Amino acid sequence: MVRNIDLAEQLKNDFLEYSYQVNVDRSFCAIDGLKSCQRLSLYAMYKNKFTHNKPFVKSAKVVGIVIGEYSPHGDTATYDCIVRMTQPFANNQTPCEMHGNGGSLSDPSPAAQRYTEVRLSEFGEELFKDIEISVPYIDNFDSSTKQPVLLPTPVPLLLINGCDGIGVTLATRVLPYNFTEVSETYKNYLINGKIDKVLYPDFPTGGQIVTCEAEQIMSTGKGKTVLRARASIDKKNRQIIFEELCYQTNVSTLYSKLIENVAKGTFSEIKNIQNATGKDGVKLIIEYKRGTEPEALLEKLYKKTDLQKTYTSNHNMLVKKTPRLLSLEQYFELLYKFQDSCIKFRCHNELKSYQQKIEKSNGLIFANENIEPIIKLIRSSNGKAEAKEKLMAGFALNEMQAEAIVSLPLYKINKLDGAELIKNRNDMMESFNAIQQKMNDKELRKQELIEKLEALIKKYPSKRKTSVDNLKA
């Protein structure tokens, strides 16, 4: 059968669909601070109990689970995604950890997935607290299992680890910030309703911020940050030593370019360059010639090499599956609304569970108080279904109460402890009322968020790695 179509209209619709999928599933982070592949990779580890207190698992096994059950990405893209989440030089808080060669600042390429092993980190497990009852689940691509829409992250993860992505017509870059500073600022925002501190990026590789449009980034979501490698000058040995480089700088590539520039005569003041980077960290040693002014050479190196970099913040984030440019206050407000919805969703599910348990407990209490006629009725019935119908008709019990009674063997009904049943029922009622109160009280829910943040700040204290002293105007 031949069908006539408008080619221009068809191409337009196909491109719009493609653009949507790229932006939503690949390029941008959602409110939980994760891209789709990151979220699904972490969830695969959580669901299969590849946790920090269990042995490491082959990376190839995790990749297979992710692409087989959840993610539309290929194995290489999925493995690269997992590797990056394990790299301490790429993240301020790594949600998973790797055993084996997971890449380094000298060579970020990891060993093949058949050689490395991976599991959730302790911090990564914090992202899954009460997940089964805190967020909605949807079908995976073939409806064979379920996956969470988002993770109930208790911290501003998007700012802590940052995000880079290039979508269709849009791009995002969120620089990483210090865990303690961001969490404290968010906590104070929840308490006071305002942001009381200027936040500066804190890169996992350290360095020194020279200039930063921090207030502009906070108010508009856009701005520039200039970062320098941290240097020390040893005049006695005529050396400039770099032990902290700029974020996302490959040591080997930088070293090769420096050698190339010296050969070209760009840095005629340099006598020798040594890459002493190893297990103890980054160390790049530049020996300069006699009579050279080291401070002037250092400024020249900053100007002409990647020992100084400019990063442009562009805080685009998915809001209801649509990329939006957000200020810090807008991000905090959306994060709070999301976390509050997670608590309400959890409270709703807990109330439902307690309601069922209380109904069953009431049925057992009734059975204990009317044990002789109930046992007689059950013995006279032809099977469980008939006994259940007779209990509901003869004693005005609801279906849940009747089910609780007929599910117990007769000898257990005879041994029910009435006082213990009433105590358990009353304890459950107390818990039910407390949860219902939280469900209906915004301030109680907010207090829970604040207490979670305080506990995590105490558990994962984080000192700044990037200095912000002597900022230039």
Side-chain angles (χ1 to χ4, degrees), residues 157-328:
L157 190 64
L158 178 63
L159 292 179
I160 292 163
N161 285 336
C163 174
D164 283 298
I166 300 173
V168 179
T169 75
L170 284 172
T172 183
R173 167 162 270 190
V174 181
L175 299 178
Y177 287 77
N178 180 268
F179 175 83
T180 300
E181 289 179 4
V182 169
S183 300
E184 285 281 4
T185 304
Y186 178 53
K187 183 191 80 173
N188 293 336
Y189 173 79
L190 293 178
I191 295 169
N192 305 317
K194 59 183 180 181
I195 297 169
D196 57 4
K197 182 176 183 177
V198 177
L199 291 174
Y200 293 92
D202 185 30
F203 300 94
T205 48
Q208 179 183 0
I209 292 175
V210 183
T211 62
C212 182
E213 298 171 341
E215 293 185 19
Q216 182 180 320
I217 293 169
M218 290 170 63
S219 61
T220 69
K222 283 180 173 286
K224 292 183 179 180
T225 301
V226 179
L227 180 70
R228 283 182 170 180
R230 195 184 301 279
S232 59
I233 297 173
D234 180 358
K235 291 189 177 180
K236 183 180 177 181
N237 295 308
R238 295 196 295 278
Q239 292 178 340
I240 300 175
I241 303 167
F242 296 93
E243 294 186 304
E244 291 179 8
L245 298 184
C246 293
Y247 183 55
Q248 296 174 332
T249 298
N250 185 309
V251 183
S252 299
T253 304
L254 176 63
Y255 172 71
S256 298
K257 285 184 178 179
L258 284 169
I259 294 288
E260 186 181 320
N261 283 328
V262 170
K264 286 179 180 178
T266 307
F267 298 108
S268 57
E269 308 93 329
I270 294 177
K271 179 182 177 182
N272 186 39
I273 303 173
Q274 181 185 352
N275 183 5
T277 301
K279 290 183 179 179
D280 295 331
V282 173
K283 195 167 189 180
L284 202 61
I285 303 168
I286 294 177
E287 296 180 30
Y288 55 86
K289 295 175 182 177
R290 192 184 299 274
T292 299
E293 190 63 43
E295 290 81 6
L297 174 59
L298 183 57
E299 286 298 323
K300 188 177 177 182
L301 285 164
Y302 284 141
K303 186 177 180 180
K304 299 195 174 207
T305 71
D306 280 347
L307 289 166
Q308 177 173 302
K309 281 186 173 182
T310 300
Y311 301 87
T312 302
S313 294
N314 191 20
H315 289 192
N316 280 309
M317 188 192 75
L318 288 176
V319 180
K320 295 181 179 178
K321 296 191 174 183
T322 302
R324 264 184 60 192
L325 183 66
L326 299 177
S327 68
L328 182 62

Side-chain angles (χ1 to χ4, degrees), residues 354 357-358 361-362 364-365 417-431:
Y354 270 114
K357 289 176 183 177
I358 289 167
S361 187
N362 284 335
L364 296 178
I365 290 169
D417 185 334
E420 184 67 23
L421 286 170
I422 291 170
K423 180 182 180 302
N424 288 341
R425 192 267 315 273
N426 291 342
D427 288 344
M428 285 190 286
M429 283 294 297
E430 192 175 323
S431 297

Side-chain angles (χ1 to χ4, degrees), residues 135-146:
V135 294
Y137 277 63
I138 57 173
D139 286 337
N140 68 337
F141 61 88
D142 64 354
S143 301
S144 61
T145 187
K146 298 282 186 181

